[in-house]
Amino acid sequence: MTFSCILASLVLAFATAHSVLAAATTASNRHVKCPTGQVTSNAACCALFPMVDKIQQDLFDGGECGEEAHSALRLSFHDAIGFSIHGGKGGGADGSILVFNSTELQFHANGGIDDITARQFPVFQELNLTAGDFVHLAAAVGTANCPGAPRLKYMFGRPPPKGPAHDLTVPEPTDSVTSILTRFADAGFSPKEAIALLSSHTIAAADVVDPTIPGTPFDSTVGTFDTQVFLEVLLKGSLFPGNGSQPGEVLSPLHGELRLQSDFALSRDPRTACFWQSMVNNQKSMMNQFHDAMAKMQVLGQDTSRLIDCSDVVPVPKPFNQNIKFPASFSKKDLQLTCKQIPFPNLATVRGPAPTIAPVPGS
């Protein structure tokens, strides 16, 4: 082949490659304007915008980071985690917990989610969504109402669930660290991903650990998706907020705050303590780790090649750009640290007397 032929071939190959790249770039940057005025990357997502508005109005009081938002996130986890990468368990993120609620709500680990299931079911029936698409859209939308939360990924197009999940697939506060990590590994998650998912406890509250004090939060800033829970779980405990010690509960540092036995153990176990500690006052890392772990969680058991990325229908959360602080009257001297490999950040202390944390409204 002559030099001119080689050169011509190279030019043709370059032009072809450039055309393919340009076409791919154009496709990736394509936007569709929906009849309702919103812009999305896929026309199939347009139908979801009015549904998001309805979910906000009917479930989340117009867009609040309240009890229903916290519970919607918990419901999505309890739905999806009933899955095993080895097979033989449930269908994962398929909405079975909503459709087969008469079965799954009887599972001990699902205590306390009957209220959010009852709230969601009539809204689900009004929308043209499968149960899996509805449960995980509601979780993403509710979480977006909480300042500091990442904008969660949302995949659309799950088929209806085929049956209920199996019992004993949801980790419980009374479980050992080994048992919890083994269950997460069976669902395909590393110890770091398990801790990342527990970032959800920053906006969570307990209803049934101590039924005398429903709506007891796990940290002092329950309305903000921040790293406060990772700090406060590391503080020395001195009291029980309700009717004495209950299964799954350990001493708490603050009045009105409940500390789960599982969180306490994971924060101090050598397999997870350093990653737990690394989250303290590291908002960006916590957001990124939670976003990625949730993206994996919400498609467990699903054929992702058949799903459409409709993440742009999820509202953009308000940012949280502040440093967290020790609760009033606490400081570094009150920490119980088992990870010595990384330095603990320098944090200020809120001024005033030790606080009493109010229960989550609506519990």
Side-chain angles (χ1 to χ4, degrees):
M1 183 181 288
T2 65
F3 176 76
S4 60
C5 290
I6 295 172
L7 180 60
S9 298
L10 289 173
V11 169
L12 179 60
F14 176 79
T16 301
H18 184 270
S19 297
V20 171
L21 178 61
T25 302
T26 300
S28 66
N29 291 333
R30 187 179 295 129
H31 291 91
V32 177
K33 187 170 183 179
C34 301
T36 50
Q38 295 94 340
V39 175
T40 178
S41 60
N42 193 306
C45 305
C46 285
L48 295 174
F49 285 106
M51 298 186 192
V52 168
D53 291 342
K54 183 172 180 60
I55 287 170
Q56 286 281 47
Q57 189 61 44
D58 291 2
L59 288 180
F60 305 133
D61 301 317
E64 292 186 2
C65 179
E67 169 67 12
E68 290 77 15
H70 314 157
S71 297
L73 181 56
R74 183 186 179 206
L75 188 70
S76 71
F77 170 73
H78 283 236
D79 177 60
I81 196 64
F83 174 78
S84 171
I85 58 176
H86 306 292
K89 290 186 171 66
D94 60 358
S96 65
I97 200 164
L98 199 61
V99 173
F100 301 100
N101 58 75
S102 60
T103 297
E104 294 195 31
L105 292 184
Q106 301 305 310
F107 301 164
H108 183 267
N110 288 340
I113 61 174
D114 51 331
D115 286 345
I116 189 61
T117 306
R119 282 289 304 274
Q120 287 195 4
F121 198 79
V123 182
F124 157 65
Q125 289 182 307
E126 293 182 50
L127 300 178
N128 187 27
L129 290 174
T130 63
D133 281 346
F134 176 83
V135 166
H136 296 281
L137 178 60
V141 172
T143 302
N145 294 334
C146 301
R151 190 188 197 190
L152 295 180
K153 192 169 185 178
Y154 176 68
M155 304 300 289
F156 174 52
R158 297 167 186 77
K162 296 179 180 179
H166 290 203
D167 199 359
L168 305 179
T169 55
V170 181
E172 298 203 55
T174 52
D175 292 344
S176 68
V177 171
T178 296
S179 176
I180 291 170
L181 296 182
T182 299
R183 176 75 272 274
F184 271 105
D186 183 44
F189 292 90
S190 70
K192 285 187 175 181
E193 289 172 322
I195 299 302
L197 288 168
L198 291 177
S199 301
S200 61
H201 285 184
T202 187
I203 57 168
D207 288 325
V208 297
V209 175
D210 185 340
T212 67
I213 48 169
T216 304
F218 297 145
D219 76 10
S220 59
T221 57
V222 71
T224 306
F225 205 103
D226 56 22
T227 67
Q228 195 75 27
V229 70
F230 289 102
L231 167 63
E232 292 178 12
V233 169
L234 292 172
L235 297 174
K236 297 174 185 176
S238 60
L239 56 91
F240 292 108
N243 190 26
S245 176
Q246 304 294 323
E249 177 187 20
V250 296
L251 290 168
S252 169
L254 294 171
H255 289 278
E257 179 178 293
L258 189 143
R259 180 150 60 187
L260 295 177
Q261 175 185 317
S262 51
D263 284 356
F264 177 90
L266 286 161
S267 72
R268 290 156 173 80
D269 189 278
R271 291 166 287 184
T272 47
C274 284
F275 189 66
W276 184 288
Q277 186 174 318
S278 73
M279 294 287 209
V280 176
N281 206 37
N282 197 341
Q283 182 73 16
K284 185 176 181 180
S285 176
M286 184 266 288
M287 291 172 65
N288 290 339
Q289 299 283 349
F290 182 69
H291 172 277
D292 293 348
M294 280 297 296
K296 185 174 178 179
M297 174 69 68
Q298 69 144 293
V299 294
L300 285 182
Q302 302 302 307
D303 181 355
T304 55
S305 68
R306 295 179 177 271
L307 300 181
I308 300 168
D309 189 343
C310 288
S311 303
D312 48 19
V313 308
V314 178
V316 178
K318 294 179 181 178
F320 176 80
N321 300 318
Q322 306 168 34
N323 290 319
I324 64 167
K325 297 180 179 181
F326 284 105
S329 80
F330 289 85
S331 66
K332 270 191 174 182
K333 64 179 175 55
D334 300 298
L335 290 168
Q336 292 179 320
L337 304 179
T338 58
C339 175
K340 307 299 182 184
Q341 293 93 311
I342 59 174
F344 196 85
N346 291 318
L347 302 175
T349 296
V350 176
R351 294 181 179 180
T356 295
I357 313 304
V360 175
S363 298

